[in-house]
Amino acid sequence: MNIHDQLQQLGIQLPPVSVPAAAYVPFVQTGQLVFLSGHIARRDGKPWVGKLGQDMGTADGVQAARAVAIDLLGTLHAAVGDLNRVKRIVKVISLVNSAPDYTEQHLVTNGCSELLGQVFGDAGKHARSAFGVAAIPLGACVEIELIAEVE
């Protein structure tokens, strides 16, 4: 399966790497592992602001997490030069800006996980953590980081 063909079938155009907003780099490779820094949800080029369970519902959170996954793919492409070099998505760590009684962080994170599965097939199945947090930089609703293994 050619990843670029799969992205085209899904109607996804990879964005360029976002410029870091603080003192960090967008990715680091050590050996065969590539670690992507956390990416916040964006809509129309601006932070997708909201708090799940307060002013956002789970369905909107799923879409935000999917948008983050697309940005992560753009950064991963920049890191490795060709997404066909990705051997496996190893781990996804998701932070969901949540009201204190909100408990569907795992469902929000599915927006990212399901897209990675669609793009990479079995190689997109990964270990995962999904946390509810009180705040995310710039008020974003979701932030996700990713670890991938490359050939």
Side-chain angles (χ1 to χ4, degrees):
M1 167 181 60
N2 184 302
I3 299 302
H4 303 291
D5 293 341
Q6 189 65 18
L7 290 170
Q8 188 173 19
Q9 274 188 327
L10 293 168
I12 295 173
Q13 186 171 23
L14 295 178
V17 176
S18 297
V19 176
Y24 63 92
V25 293
F27 58 85
V28 171
Q29 181 169 351
T30 182
Q32 299 305 106
L33 295 177
V34 179
F35 294 78
L36 301 188
S37 294
H39 286 50
I40 63 170
R42 296 189 176 278
R43 183 169 49 182
D44 301 325
K46 299 176 187 164
W48 192 329
V49 175
K51 187 174 285 287
L52 277 293
Q54 181 175 302
D55 54 14
M56 281 184 80
T58 299
D60 288 331
V62 169
Q63 291 305 309
R66 185 181 190 281
V68 174
I70 293 169
D71 286 345
L72 286 165
L73 289 171
T75 299
L76 186 56
H77 175 73
V80 303
D82 181 357
L83 289 176
N84 289 300
R85 290 188 56 222
V86 174
K87 186 174 179 181
R88 175 167 204 100
I89 302 300
V90 176
K91 175 107 183 197
V92 166
I93 302 161
S94 174
L95 307 173
V96 180
N97 188 350
S98 304
D101 60 346
Y102 185 76
T103 61
E104 295 187 343
Q105 292 84 0
H106 61 296
L107 299 177
V108 167
T109 306
N110 282 346
C112 175
S113 295
E114 291 172 357
L115 180 63
L116 293 173
Q118 291 173 325
V119 171
F120 293 104
D122 283 344
K125 294 178 182 176
H126 52 270
R128 184 179 93 175
S129 298
F131 301 96
V133 297
I136 291 176
L138 306 176
C141 57
V142 178
E143 179 175 355
I144 301 174
E145 61 184 74
L146 180 146
I147 303 167
E149 180 183 12
V150 295
E151 296 178 335

